């Protein structure tokens, strides 16, 4: 009959790799049927219970305790296996770099390797924020692999990092490549002119691999952690990374990777991307891209597509257009509903907030279609406007009245009109609209007018003459919606105000202090980086009450 025996070591901590290795060695001993070696958290106790490895002693263990469980064919085999635990742990720490001096604290690690610019942290989540703050105190960038870090802690860490000009990647950041050295989980890829910022660990890996396989190379790959593009965090790390890569002379093309971001965060990011001064490939999985390209921003439909586009851009001589920004709100006055919808679909990714009577998102619905608010796209062909009157395709009266209303609004900065020609339409729509534009420009020269003209050279209104009238009145003309969206987005998108200090160029060669999972330290050394492994243990052996007392005694 099988016998299960447990040993609880109060306050003893080992990282997950050590626990896994010990567990495998115990399970391989003669007579042992199964083994479990875990920190005694509720989740781990539940897993042990599911494997029939949890008995009374284990149930009494605390989350900060190390729990070792062995099930064997006899009590002698079970006891014998537990008796070998210390010897098995010694075997693990008897070779190579593990014999070197190991500091017991991050502060000691900093003294041991003062050139280190990075601190890799992979301790249990409840301790991670404190260690990360210590790293910032020491003037180090943070690669925070730990998960289960409170959202409030993440926000505080990233705000503080920005103030100090330091980068906080994570929490739950699994991969990064800095100056050719992989942090955490990273593929070995050649260096090159493509810089990446990703809120997706495996996504970032997939795109860097794709870039390598397509013949390109990576300048930097910056991770942010999966919550960075949520509304609360406001893409703090991705914006830092984007600005760093925009200023980085070694980076010619930038790639942004994430799952769909928060609506306002997406507008903020894309607006910033427009000012990067170099091509930016956006791959937000599941994001409804408005077009293949808006200005210097290219939208990829998947990870492989992002890699392929980035490599293509990095090998070509592409100079992004420079469009000066202006202030004020957009007022789009459309006679056609589909054109209005298409314009809204493109502009919603850059202008925020934006409202419409043909809203795509519930948050965009106008409170009153008769009065614009913020950026506004209006379909004047909607029923609310056409009861008892001709459609605006045939009669400009309604649009001329609304145009006057928008011009009288001090918040209006740019007016977008569609002019749809063809059979059945107004005989000379540009004639009336151009006269109104010219008149309004006399009193509001600060307002810009843009017209989207849809027509052929065979239409009865004579398309060329229609365009000439509008241009003579001072309107800028576009012939299809995407080009108009491209221009307006560049003109009106708000430029996010950068807070905190800019990141300074990352030093080479890379040097780092690793606190936590030892395989990350081994990986750094294998890649030729200078690194120190901190032999970290929970404060006060994981006794939180005692740790609190010690903190108070330190006056912190």
């Amino acid at each position: 009959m099988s016998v299960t025996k447990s040993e609880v070591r109060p306050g003893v901590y080992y990282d997950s790799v050590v626990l896994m290795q010990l567990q495998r060695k115990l399970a391989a001993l003669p007579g042992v049927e199964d083994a479990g070696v875990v920190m005694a958290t509720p989740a781990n106790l539940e897993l042990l219970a599911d494997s029939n490895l949890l008995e009374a002693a284990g149930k009494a263990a605390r989350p900060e305790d190390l729990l070792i469980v062995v099930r064997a064919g006899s009590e002698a085999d079970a006891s014998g296996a537990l008796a070998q635990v210390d010897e098995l742990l010694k075997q693990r720490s008897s070779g190579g770099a593990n014999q070197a001096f190991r500091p017991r604290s991050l502060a000691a690690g900093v003294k041991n390797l003062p050139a280190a610019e990075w601190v890799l942290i992979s301790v249990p989540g409840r301790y991670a924020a404190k260690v990360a703050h210590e790293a910032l105190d020491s003037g180090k960038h943070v690669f925070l692999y730990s998960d289960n870090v409170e959202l409030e802690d993440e926000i505080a860490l990233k705000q503080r990092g920005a103030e100090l000009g330091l980068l906080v990647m994570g929490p739950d950041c699994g991969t990064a490549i800095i100056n050719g050295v992989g942090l955490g989980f990273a593929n070995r890829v050649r260096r090159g002119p493509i810089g990446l910022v990703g809120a997706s660990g495996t996504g970032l890996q997939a795109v860097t691999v794709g870039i390598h396989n397509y013949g390109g190379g990576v300048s930097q790959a910056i991770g942010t952690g999966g919550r960075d593009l949520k509304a609360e965090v406001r893409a703090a790390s991705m914006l830092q990374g984007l600005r760093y890569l925009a200023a980085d002379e070694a980076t010619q093309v930038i790639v942004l990777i994430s799952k769909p971001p928060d609506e306002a965060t997406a507008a903020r990011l894309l607006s910033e991307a427009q000012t990067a001064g170099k091509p930016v490939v956006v791959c937000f999985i599941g994001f409804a891209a408005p077009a293949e390209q808006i200005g210097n921003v290219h939208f990829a439909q998947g990870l492989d597509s992002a890699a392929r586009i980035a490599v293509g851009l990095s090998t070509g001589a592409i100079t992004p257009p420079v469009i000066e920004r202006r202030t004020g709100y957009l007022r789009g006055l459309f006679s056609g509903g589909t054109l209005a919808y298409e314009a809204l679909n493109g502009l919603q990714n850059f202008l925020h907030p934006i409202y419409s009577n043909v809203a795509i998102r519930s948050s965009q619905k106008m409170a009153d279609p008769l009065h614009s608010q913020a950026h506004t796209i209006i379909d004047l062909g909607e029923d609310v406007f056409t009861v008892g009157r001709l459609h605006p395709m045939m009669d400009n009266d309604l649009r001329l009245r609304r145009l006057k209303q928008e011009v009288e609004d001090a918040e209006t900065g740019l007016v977008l009109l569609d002019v749809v020609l063809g059979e059945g339409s107004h005989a000379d729509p540009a004639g009336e609209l151009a006269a109104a534009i010219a008149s309004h420009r006399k009193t509001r020269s600060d307002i810009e007018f843009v017209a989207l003209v849809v027509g052929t050279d065979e239409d009865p209104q004579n398309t060329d003459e229609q365009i000439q009238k509008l241009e003579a009145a001072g309107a800028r003309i576009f012939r299809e919606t995407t080009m108009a969206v491209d221009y307006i987005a560049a003109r009106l998108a708000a430029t996010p105000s950068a807070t905190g200090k800019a990141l300074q160029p990352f030093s080479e060669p890379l040097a780092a202090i690793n606190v936590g999972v030892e395989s990350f330290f081994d990986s750094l050394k294998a890649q030729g980086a200078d690194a120190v492994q901190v032999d970290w243990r929970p404060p006060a052996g994981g006794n939180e009450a005692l740790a609190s007392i010690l903190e108070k005694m330190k006056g912190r």
Side-chain angles (χ1 to χ4, degrees), residues 15-27:
D15 70 48
S16 55
V17 174
V18 175
L19 300 183
M20 176 194 69
Q21 292 173 338
L22 177 58
Q23 178 175 306
R24 289 181 177 178
K25 289 178 179 178
L26 286 170

Side-chain angles (χ1 to χ4, degrees), residues 415-436:
V415 174
L416 170 64
L417 304 165
D418 66 339
V419 180
V420 183
L421 308 177
E423 297 290 347
S425 294
H426 191 286
D428 182 19
E432 293 184 351
L433 291 171

Side-chain angles (χ1 to χ4, degrees), residues 29-253:
L29 292 175
V32 174
E33 298 172 353
D34 200 357
V37 183
V38 297
M39 300 306 295
T41 63
N44 286 333
L45 295 184
E46 188 173 336
L47 289 173
L48 289 178
D50 290 343
S51 302
N52 295 318
L53 287 172
L54 184 63
E55 37 75 71
K59 291 178 181 177
R62 304 167 302 166
E64 58 268 26
D65 297 338
L66 174 64
L67 173 59
I68 306 167
V69 187
V70 171
R71 184 171 66 226
S74 67
E75 181 164 347
D77 285 338
S79 297
L82 290 176
Q84 296 185 58
V85 166
D86 288 329
E87 183 60 31
L88 293 174
L89 286 170
K90 289 179 182 176
Q91 289 176 7
R92 187 196 172 279
S93 60
S94 63
N98 292 318
Q99 289 184 325
F101 165 74
R102 288 187 168 189
R104 301 294 297 270
S105 68
L106 177 56
V110 171
K111 290 181 180 177
N112 193 252
L113 185 58
E117 196 174 32
W118 299 86
V119 175
L120 284 64
I121 301 168
S122 51
V123 302
R126 62 183 183 279
Y127 304 111
K130 184 175 184 300
V131 179
H133 276 297
E134 291 175 7
L136 294 176
D137 288 341
S138 301
K140 312 297 182 186
H141 300 297
V142 173
F143 176 86
L144 185 52
Y145 171 79
S146 306
D147 56 12
N148 292 307
V149 175
E150 296 293 334
L151 180 61
E152 294 74 14
D153 287 328
E154 177 176 355
I155 295 170
L157 281 168
K158 291 186 172 180
Q159 288 178 343
R160 185 151 178 258
E163 292 168 1
L164 296 170
L166 298 170
L167 182 63
V168 176
M169 296 191 282
D172 201 17
C173 180
T175 184
I177 300 174
I178 303 299
N179 290 335
V181 177
L183 309 184
F185 310 113
N187 300 89
R188 297 198 175 188
V189 299
R190 75 178 65 81
R191 299 189 70 173
I194 301 172
L196 305 94
V197 191
S200 165
T202 54
L204 194 58
Q205 284 190 260
V207 178
T208 56
V209 166
I211 289 170
H212 179 88
N213 289 338
Y214 281 119
V218 173
S219 59
Q220 311 285 355
I222 297 171
T224 68
R227 295 188 304 211
D228 191 67
L229 270 63
K230 289 187 176 297
E232 297 88 345
V233 189
R234 305 186 68 198
S237 295
M238 186 165 281
L239 284 167
Q240 266 188 305
L242 174 58
R243 290 167 188 152
Y244 179 88
L245 296 175
D248 180 28
E249 294 182 356
T251 299
Q252 297 176 12
V253 178

Side-chain angles (χ1 to χ4, degrees), residues 332-390:
L333 309 180
F334 283 80
S335 62
T338 302
L339 289 175
Y341 197 89
E342 186 182 26
L344 176 63
N345 185 49
L347 290 168
Q348 67 180 348
N349 300 298
F350 298 91
L351 307 184
H352 185 83
I354 188 167
Y355 298 93
S356 179
N357 63 339
V358 289
I360 297 173
R361 301 165 182 161
S362 59
S363 60
Q364 297 168 343
K365 187 175 181 180
M366 295 179 71
D368 178 5
L370 300 180
H371 296 88
S372 299
Q373 56 187 123
H375 299 295
T376 300
I377 297 286
I378 307 171
D379 172 17
L380 291 168
E382 279 281 282
D383 291 349
V384 65
F385 295 110
T386 57
V387 176
R389 65 168 67 238
L390 286 172

